[in-house]
Amino acid sequence: MNKKYSAGIDIGSTCAKTIVLDKDGKVVYKDLRPTGYSSVDTAESIRHTIEEAFGKDSFHTVATGYGRISVPFADNKVTEISCHAKGAVRLFDKNDINVIDIGGQDTKLIVIENGVVSEFLMNDKCSAGTGRFLEVMANTLSVSPEELCAMAEKGNETRISSLCTVFAESEVINLIGKGTPREDIAYAVIDSIVEKVKTQSGKLRMNNGPLCLTGGLCDYGYVVKMLSKAFNKDVMTKPDARYAGAMGAALYAASQM
Amino acid sequence: MADYVKMWKELGMDLEAHDNLCQVLPTAVGDVFLTQENRPKAMDFWDLVISEVHGIRPAELIEEQKKGRKVFGTFCVFVPDEIIIALNGIVTGLCGGSQFWVPGGEAVLPKNTCPLIKASVGARLGKTCPFFRIADVYVGETTCDGKKKAYEILGEDVPMIIMDVPQMKRPKDIKKWKDEIADFAAKVEDITGNKLTVEKLKEAIDIINNKRKAMKRVYDARKSLNLPISGRDTLLMTQISFFDDPVRCAEMCNKLADELEERIKNGVSVVKEDTKRILVTGTPLAVPNWKLHNIIETSGAAVVCEEMCTGTRYFENLVDNSGNTLDELFMALSERYMKNNCACFTPNPGRIEDIIRLAKEYKADGVIDCSLKFCGLYDIEKKHVSEALKKEGIPVLSLETDYEDSDSGQLRTRIEAFVEMMKG
Ligand code: SF4
Ligand code: SF4
């Protein structure tokens, strides 16, 4: 085929990520934008942008993420599990790894052996332990998620017992009412996310490879630190880790060309 | 359909609510079944039955009742159909598989009851299912806690017989189930006014064994790598077999099996060659619950076997018909029924062995273990199921769902990812 590029579009619940690779597999374009109300419109605007930059009909495209069905122009769809795995293998340059992906709406745990998925778990029935949980709690404390992380760093050990976002929110409101320092509450919020992920991981057999964090929380150093503590193992991440899904999709696109 | 309105009215059904139910069913049947390509011709029978599920069979049952026969409604494959058939009664399954009935059940049951129970209670109390109206007696059983307690609520509205199913499988439990079957026979004698004889019981055992053999033939055809029938179609056949006359059921299943065997000979398959083969295990899929099969079979995989009560557990193991006294036959019945590996037993290694055996027999590429929400028994057992399968090197995906459609997208993502994983 004479398509020059492969594009991966990951339509998540909060952010849409795009990666374009050239024929040599080099990243030539990267894009992150809010998914907004309409994933169809977002997908269209992404198409517009990359076509402007690289020309019409020059892509083989794979869509992934919960909004993958909203990308009618994609040549193929692959689930976010497979894409995150493939993307993480490339980003972290290792074939045996364990991936924790904390997304806006769900948390995924993926065990990868010899570069392919051997087991996975996905929590998306409730927003506990996800980016959404962090957002809701930050809102309740009237701070941004970044500020919440910074505050948590200075907080004392405090716990929220409830795993459900709605109940946890009322617990936080209770704590505020009792005059608990905001730093302590922030600590409890992050602690609850980390605990939830840790508990879930008990259901699968992780391998000895590194533990890597992908998804929207990879920028939050404090979350990485607390995850490392909970898993008793250094959690690796990089700024580009939030593109893992899009990267994997682009790699799938390349392999299908 | 119009012909049946009078019958429904006479059954005391809530016609207005029932109309709403009748409106959603054809769409579901169309989406799930009629969109499939290259279906076996013999499926016409089940298509017809399901399209008039509240008409054809209920009308037959009422005709038989007019002749003095009694209809027994059952909720579990532990109830020995043979006893009822031998006493000239009729058995009909009564499991609720639609979200439509759930709110009605929730009106009297806690929300965290499994949807199968909620739907079954809702179908009775809401007066929207003719089978629940027609049955003269319900036969319940002490399998899970939810059902036990729900039967107390149903019992306020309809005569109930409760059979006490053992929770373990020691020799004394098998003996106990035999005694329970004998007691049950006495009750059915009372209700039908007929007397149980060795001849009658042997005849009934043959009838049900023949039905089992016929169903097994259909399932055996699915072991072929040349898959001659979809999981959805087989599931429909199995679900309807709980309602149908056992002799006709055997006849229809045999006809279908003939066609499937012919298909295998001629290399006719319903799926592409690289389609991943899935064994499904877990809680029963009562009609019209086709959600899981539909998602799997529109995600690049095919269901080749169901290790569940709406599956192999319904027809595996025949009853030994060599006994010469009622007591011997009761024991033979007990021995056969006690081979069922429902998660209500403890410990329950038999189910794990079955799953591994069936995965191999049906050449499954992977297993999906799916339980209904709030079914603690099957949910807890997932741990052992998945550990054992992993040890065997068979990929497994554990899921939980209910009757609502809201989690379809999430289920689809997991199932597609599972299929992608098996493709490597
Ligand atoms: S799963 Fe257990 S309780 Fe349910 S029908 Fe089967 S044997 Fe009966
Ligand atoms: S699915 Fe579980 S909880 Fe529901 S009736 Fe069956 S055994 Fe009981």
Side-chain angles (χ1 to χ4, degrees), chain A residues 116-129:
Chain A
V116 295
V117 180
S118 69
E119 255 185 83
F120 67 90
L121 248 187
M122 207 174 165
N123 154 57
D124 54 11
K125 263 177 270 173
C126 72
S127 54

Side-chain angles (χ1 to χ4, degrees), chain A residues 205-228:
Chain A
R205 293 177 306 183
M206 296 206 167
N207 59 34
N208 293 326
L211 190 55
C212 307
L213 176 69
T214 63
L217 296 191
C218 62
D219 289 340
Y220 301 156
Y222 178 68
V223 174
V224 177
K225 185 172 129 194
M226 295 313 274
L227 276 172
S228 302

Side-chain angles (χ1 to χ4, degrees), chain A residues 68 77-82 116-120 122-125 203-205 252, chain B residues 373 386 390-391 397 399-400 407 409-410 412-418 420-421 424:
Chain A
R68 64 188 179 282
K77 297 181 296 250
V78 178
T79 63
E80 47 269 45
I81 302 283
S82 305
V116 295
V117 180
S118 69
E119 255 185 83
F120 67 90
M122 207 174 165
N123 154 57
D124 54 11
K125 263 177 270 173
K203 290 221 165 141
L204 36 74
R205 293 177 306 183
Y252 269 107
Chain B
K373 230 186 202 160
S386 87
K390 282 175 192 171
K391 217 162 156 197
L397 177 68
L399 298 174
E400 188 185 64
D407 65 351
Q410 300 164 354
R412 188 175 288 283
T413 297
R414 286 177 174 77
I415 291 167
E416 281 180 7
F418 186 58
E420 288 165 2
M421 180 182 111

Side-chain angles (χ1 to χ4, degrees), chain B residues 231-247:
Chain B
R232 279 167 282 181
D233 280 342
T234 326
L235 177 64
L236 180 64
M237 175 206 89
T238 304
Q239 289 172 332
I240 301 286
S241 63
F242 282 79
F243 296 86
D244 205 0
D245 171 72
V247 176

Side-chain angles (χ1 to χ4, degrees), chain B residues 139-173:
Chain B
V139 188
E141 75 309 312
T142 57
T143 42
C144 72
D145 288 354
K147 286 216 247 176
K148 278 190 274 196
K149 290 288 133 181
Y151 294 142
E152 293 172 16
I153 295 176
L154 282 176
E156 294 169 356
D157 200 47
V158 59
M160 294 247 16
I161 300 173
I162 304 288
M163 296 188 75
D164 188 4
V165 178
Q167 309 282 292
M168 293 178 77
K169 288 187 173 176
R170 300 158 301 186
K172 67 176 177 186
D173 297 309

Side-chain angles (χ1 to χ4, degrees), chain B residues 75 113-117 141 143-147 151 282-284 342-344 371-378:
Chain B
F75 298 87
T113 310
C114 101
L116 207 156
I117 298 175
E141 75 309 312
T143 42
C144 72
D145 288 354
K147 286 216 247 176
Y151 294 142
T283 46
C342 173
C344 67
S371 65
L372 286 167
K373 230 186 202 160
F374 306 121
C375 172
L377 294 172
Y378 281 88

Side-chain angles (χ1 to χ4, degrees), chain B residues 159-317:
Chain B
M160 294 247 16
I161 300 173
I162 304 288
M163 296 188 75
D164 188 4
V165 178
Q167 309 282 292
M168 293 178 77
K169 288 187 173 176
R170 300 158 301 186
K172 67 176 177 186
D173 297 309
I174 295 169
K175 164 88 178 39
K176 177 189 148 179
W177 187 238
K178 185 208 88 179
D179 293 341
E180 197 62 24
I181 292 174
D183 288 354
F184 178 61
K187 285 182 189 139
V188 179
E189 281 182 330
D190 275 352
I191 293 165
T192 57
N194 298 323
K195 187 91 196 106
L196 190 62
T197 63
V198 171
E199 288 66 40
K200 288 268 171 228
L201 187 51
K202 276 173 165 288
E203 224 173 83
I205 289 175
D206 279 341
I207 289 174
I208 303 297
N209 275 347
N210 284 337
K211 165 172 159 176
R212 293 188 182 115
K213 286 183 205 157
M215 292 180 73
K216 183 168 184 320
R217 272 187 70 202
V218 173
Y219 275 66
D220 279 346
R222 304 166 84 191
K223 293 177 183 168
S224 168
L225 284 176
N226 181 108
L227 191 65
I229 184 168
S230 69
R232 279 167 282 181
D233 280 342
T234 326
L235 177 64
L236 180 64
M237 175 206 89
T238 304
Q239 289 172 332
I240 301 286
S241 63
F242 282 79
F243 296 86
D244 205 0
D245 171 72
V247 176
R248 176 175 52 202
C249 174
E251 194 188 310
M252 291 300 164
C253 291
N254 275 322
K255 209 173 116 199
L256 176 60
D258 290 341
E259 186 180 346
L260 300 184
E261 285 161 13
E262 198 58 32
R263 282 186 157 209
I264 295 171
K265 237 186 271 159
N266 300 327
V268 180
S269 169
V270 288
V271 292
K272 285 198 298 254
E273 218 174 285
D274 58 348
T275 304
K276 290 293 163 192
R277 301 167 61 89
I278 307 282
L279 170 92
V280 171
T281 180
T283 46
L285 300 167
V287 74
N289 181 7
W290 306 307
K291 179 173 157 184
L292 183 66
H293 278 56
N294 193 34
I295 296 177
I296 294 174
E297 297 200 323
T298 51
S299 298
V303 180
V304 294
C305 180
E306 297 82 14
E307 189 284 320
M308 41 178 57
C309 286
T310 46
T312 52
R313 278 190 234 153
Y314 191 41
F315 62 79
E316 278 203 323
N317 305 311

